[in-house]
Amino acid sequence: EAQVTQNPRYLITVTGKKLTVTCSQNMNHEYMSWYRQDPGLGLRQIYYSMNVEVTDKGDVPEGYKVSRKEKRNFPLILESPSPNQTSLYFCASSRQGITDTQYFGPGTRLTVL
Amino acid sequence: GDSVTQMEGPVTLSEEAFLTINCTYTATGYPSLFWYVQYPGEGLQLLLKATKADDKGSNKGFEATYRKETTSFHLEKGSVQVSDSAVYFCALGVDTDKLIFGTGTRLQVFP
């Protein structure tokens, strides 16, 4: 089954404790991206990647890092989480870019205390 | 900069009513336009898209036309169902690699 998986689905952590949210797709897609969803703000793009070893900043990259060492994986790293990063995070992938259908993961709800 | 503005919700309708959710955009160049839908507890799904002016996207009874002259991409459906209850996001694609979403409009359909 074609899908985008994210782990964990739920995470409660404390300020400053490094964490990684994994994202994996099994569709051989070149384009992957991360979004955060906040009430009243919709979805905002954090980072995106056009292909292996190619990443670029979205609209809200501060406090986040990503890597794309393999085509299927695109982890989101929070080196020192802060409470304002409490949010619902979505990973997405598509064949080549944003004009192709984006397939979204189920979301990761992160709470930073 | 590039941006998307969509009507605030919630939009509350009775089953079989006509739906319009307004979306306008600001962009340089020639963006692509999308409507995504998010059902409760799920990620977003592409509903329809249009990649150039005057294109009409359609899917599952929903339609939207890319109007360059009014910079709009309004979502319409002639007869909504309870199962259409969800949050709808208008989105703008720029430079082939960035997606900019609106804030979302919650639709509630009652029997």
Side-chain angles (χ1 to χ4, degrees), chain B residues 13-111:
Chain B
L13 294 172
S14 298
E15 210 165 22
E16 298 184 4
F18 185 85
L19 168 71
T20 300
I21 299 178
N22 290 338
C23 172
T24 56
Y25 67 89
T26 302
T28 54
Y30 303 95
S32 297
L33 297 170
F34 308 85
W35 276 102
Y36 279 82
V37 59
Q38 184 179 32
Y39 297 102
E42 298 183 11
L44 278 71
Q45 303 172 27
L46 178 67
L47 181 59
L48 53 84
K49 68 178 180 182
T51 56
K52 61 182 188 297
D54 300 324
D55 269 2
K56 177 186 282 189
S58 61
N59 186 24
K60 299 181 181 179
F62 291 90
E63 292 183 341
T65 301
Y66 187 159
R67 302 275 188 211
K68 192 165 183 287
E69 63 276 13
T70 55
T71 61
S72 65
F73 193 55
H74 304 322
L75 182 68
E76 297 181 337
K77 186 175 185 183
S79 176
V80 294
Q81 305 300 312
V82 172
S83 57
D84 293 326
S85 298
V87 181
Y88 293 81
F89 292 91
C90 185
L92 175 73
V94 295
D95 301 326
T96 76
D97 52 19
K98 284 183 69 172
L99 262 181
I100 298 171
F101 285 86
T103 54
T105 302
R106 181 176 300 279
L107 170 65
Q108 297 175 321
V109 181
F110 293 96

Side-chain angles (χ1 to χ4, degrees), chain A residues 13-82:
Chain A
T13 189
V14 295
T15 299
K17 186 176 181 182
K18 181 180 179 180
L19 67 91
T20 299
V21 183
T22 64
C23 173
S24 182
Q25 49 92 6
N26 62 0
M27 295 169 278
N28 201 38
H29 284 168
E30 293 188 356
Y31 182 89
M32 297 185 75
S33 59
W34 276 102
Y35 299 87
R36 59 178 289 174
Q37 183 177 18
D38 302 290
L41 298 176
L43 271 79
R44 293 177 292 168
Q45 193 172 43
I46 303 170
Y47 270 95
Y48 60 94
S49 169
M50 298 295 289
N51 213 325
V52 175
E53 303 291 3
V54 180
T55 62
D56 211 341
K57 296 177 180 179
D59 290 325
V60 288
E62 295 78 19
Y64 304 95
K65 285 175 56 177
V66 292
S67 68
R68 188 90 182 273
K69 292 183 170 49
E70 308 166 276
K71 202 171 191 178
R72 63 185 293 125
N73 296 322
F74 190 46
L76 179 70
I77 304 155
L78 284 72
E79 294 270 3
S80 183
S82 62

